[in-house]
Amino acid sequence: MSVGLNYYLILAAVLFTIGLVGLLIRRNVLVMLMCVELMLNASNLTFVAFASKLKDVGGQADVFFVLVVAAAEVVVGLAIIVSIYRKRLGATADDLSSLKG
Amino acid sequence: MIATQLLLPKISYFSILPEICLIVGALVMLAMTSVTRNRITSKVYTGITVLAGIASIGFSIKNYHDVLRSGAHLVIDKVLAIDGFSVLAAILVSACVIIAAFLTQNFVDRENWSGPEIFALMLLAGSGAQFMAAANDLIMIFLGLEIMSISLYVLAALDTKRIQSGEAALKYLVLGGFASAIFIYGSAFVYGSTGTTNLGQIASFFATSYYTHNGLLIIGMVLVIAGLGFKVAAVPFHVWSPDVYQGAPSPSVTLMSSIAKIGGFAALLRILMTALVSYKADWQPIIYILAVASLLVGAFGGLVQSNVKRMLAYSAINHSGFILLGLVAATQVGVSASFVYLIAYSFIATGVFSVVTILGSKGDQNHDIRNYRGLAKKHPYLILGFAVLLFGQAGIPGTVGFIAKLSVFEALARSGGPGAYSLVVVAIVSSVISAVYYLRVVIACYSKPDEEMIIPDRLFSSSLSPISPIQKADGDIGQEHEGVTLLVEDKVENLKTEDVDTQDFRVGIGSSIAVILTSGIVVVLGIFPNLIIDLANHATFIF
């Protein structure tokens, strides 16, 4: 018995929503970065699900590009967090409040 | 079964030489620094950056002649389009990188930065924007977007001495990553409903098949528009931009304000005007709302700012609204008009931020409008250029800003869509309102240092003074919780910068070149508008 396309899409939508909500309500920047990853992986799952439904290898290849980009983004994100930690202990979103107007 | 054989496309390197030039320039600088023992001066880095930019422009002009002679074509398995729009956008991006490089040379000397990072990242960001402008495939747009954005995140974080720089970078990164995720999720839906990510094939799919289940497609389209809306800072996706503009090092903002808009709008225009043009009736209302919101928030938000960089962020939001007007028109004339506006805006924005970088003086902190008082007496020529550029932003006749605004109004009015005329009225009103804050800066510069300004620093004095701990929240990450206080160290830092004489600085040669170039372009194109209007008429998409 195979699992239908809709189940994959719903799972992906749930993952995406968890990422989206997490990004909006969590104050820890590391968790926020993880939420972005979750959103990117939800789109990967959507791509793969559609690719197998459409029997098209293109959609599966697209996932590699998204994975590479996600990795690059995390590298830069962590580097920026480290550079902030050096200046100030604590990098939650509430500590980052010197810019406003 | 899914076919297991992957066929590699033929890569025509000649078509992507403009991008390759910029990337090679960046790699050469990084390699040079690691092999030589002596410290390389910033002049060398600037030279390489400018050379790479000029080479890129040269190859783009060659591509442009190819397009004029033998027509637009698709290369590398139809992933990149070499057409009038992509080639002209590439030239514009390289020009902005060159101007920013001149400016950065003085900036890094002033701040005692060493190393090629800022120059290399500028070139890489430029190549990303060029890829975005040429991309004819949703995945390629995503890759170009990320090449550009990740470079810009690091550019925002480069000033490690100031905590604000890291904060700006982190906000930009988190919200930028969020936007990218939304964009790629939308692309997945478009792929699922059409079976391809290629923009040309999506268009031909709609032309050949009668498509009934368009729920998925509409979701995908909305998400793609939202993702790109973040990148061009269109309201309601703009909350990151004032913080990032204020905190990031000024030369980075110079680049951010110009090439991120060029890349983002190029991608948005191409997706909507080629792939999804048959769904015009569905996306036009969305763009209409984005345009109205950007025009109004940009105009009113800027009025209450006392930090000039923050004010210019709202001005950039306002300009996004104007560029969207060409897209609301959804005609070829509209695309050309948007392109005219992009050309005008990117030169004006690079110019204005060049001056702001110079006025920032050592430490890059002197951005309060009160410190601008009396500058005209000490630096008459610099402030003259500044005034010209700000008049350009306001769209005063005789500058290219006027031509740009006129062309989007004309395109929108001529399209005659529902609500087109009322949108023109909103746009004109918003340009009048935004003119107030541009002129406020000019008046500040030309007033005497001790004199009270005709227009006060803060138009609504109910909001507290700029260094007060509790400030008027405008909805960025840190402000969702009430009662967030500034840390004491930041307050002390702010107070310190006001004591020293911040108007005593030297304008370097590089910065002078940047300001003279941009203000010259603004005036010359304002007097001879045919130069850009003719060019923009060639800025068509392959279809």
Side-chain angles (χ1 to χ4, degrees), chain B residues 370-391:
Chain B
R370 283 170 302 175
N371 299 348
Y372 280 25
R373 284 187 202 164
L375 271 172
K377 211 156 220 166
K378 288 189 180 161
H379 305 281
Y381 298 113
L382 178 68
I383 297 302
L384 183 68
F386 196 30
V388 166
L389 290 162
L390 286 168
F391 286 152

Side-chain angles (χ1 to χ4, degrees), chain B residues 407-446:
Chain B
S407 60
V408 286
F409 291 160
E410 193 196 345
L412 185 58
R414 254 207 270 170
S415 78
Y421 285 101
S422 41
L423 187 54
V424 171
V425 173
V426 171
I428 291 173
V429 170
S430 100
S431 83
V432 171
I433 297 166
S434 61
V436 172
Y437 55 79
Y438 302 127
L439 296 180
R440 196 155 69 100
V441 176
V442 178
I443 291 171
C445 291
Y446 279 98

Side-chain angles (χ1 to χ4, degrees), chain A residues 23 56 73 87 98 100, chain B residues 146 167 178 191 471 479:
Chain A
L23 190 78
D56 172 36
E73 222 165 55
K87 287 253 152 206
S98 61
K100 55 177 66 173
Chain B
E146 289 300 318
E167 179 182 332
F178 176 69
Y191 168 73
Q471 291 187 319
Q479 293 167 0

Side-chain angles (χ1 to χ4, degrees), chain A residues 93-101, chain B residues 164 167 171 239-240 242-244 246-247 304-307 310-311 314 368 458 464-487 490 494:
Chain A
D94 291 336
D95 296 318
L96 303 175
S97 56
S98 61
L99 294 174
K100 55 177 66 173
Chain B
Q164 287 95 331
E167 179 182 332
K171 281 178 178 170
V239 283
W240 57 272
D243 284 357
V244 173
Q246 185 188 349
V304 294
Q305 305 302 327
S306 63
N307 183 304
R310 227 180 150 79
M311 187 207 87
Y314 280 99
D368 196 289
R458 285 199 156 227
L464 300 165
S465 72
I467 47 164
S468 159
I470 309 155
Q471 291 187 319
K472 195 179 158 294
D474 69 345
D476 55 14
I477 305 181
Q479 293 167 0
E480 282 157 16
H481 288 224
E482 279 179 51
V484 179
T485 49
L486 276 177
L487 289 186
D490 292 330
N494 275 342

Side-chain angles (χ1 to χ4, degrees), chain B residues 277-397:
Chain B
V277 76
S278 48
Y279 278 78
K280 208 194 245 183
D282 291 305
W283 56 255
Q284 252 175 327
I286 306 174
I287 301 292
Y288 190 96
I289 295 167
L290 292 186
V292 172
S294 307
L295 286 169
L296 295 180
V297 172
F300 286 108
L303 288 177
V304 294
Q305 305 302 327
S306 63
N307 183 304
V308 174
K309 274 165 92 181
R310 227 180 150 79
M311 187 207 87
L312 289 171
Y314 280 99
S315 130
I317 295 168
N318 185 246
H319 287 302
S320 283
F322 279 105
I323 302 172
L324 285 172
L325 294 186
L327 197 50
V328 176
T331 53
Q332 181 52 48
V333 182
V335 173
S336 298
S338 287
F339 196 75
V340 169
Y341 207 103
L342 268 179
I343 299 177
Y345 167 74
S346 22
F347 284 120
I348 295 173
T350 26
V352 166
F353 277 108
S354 304
V355 182
V356 168
T357 311
I358 302 167
L359 299 185
S361 67
K362 192 167 169 56
D364 197 17
Q365 284 281 32
N366 179 35
H367 297 300
D368 196 289
I369 193 168
R370 283 170 302 175
N371 299 348
Y372 280 25
R373 284 187 202 164
L375 271 172
K377 211 156 220 166
K378 288 189 180 161
H379 305 281
Y381 298 113
L382 178 68
I383 297 302
L384 183 68
F386 196 30
V388 166
L389 290 162
L390 286 168
F391 286 152
Q393 296 241 32
I396 286 170

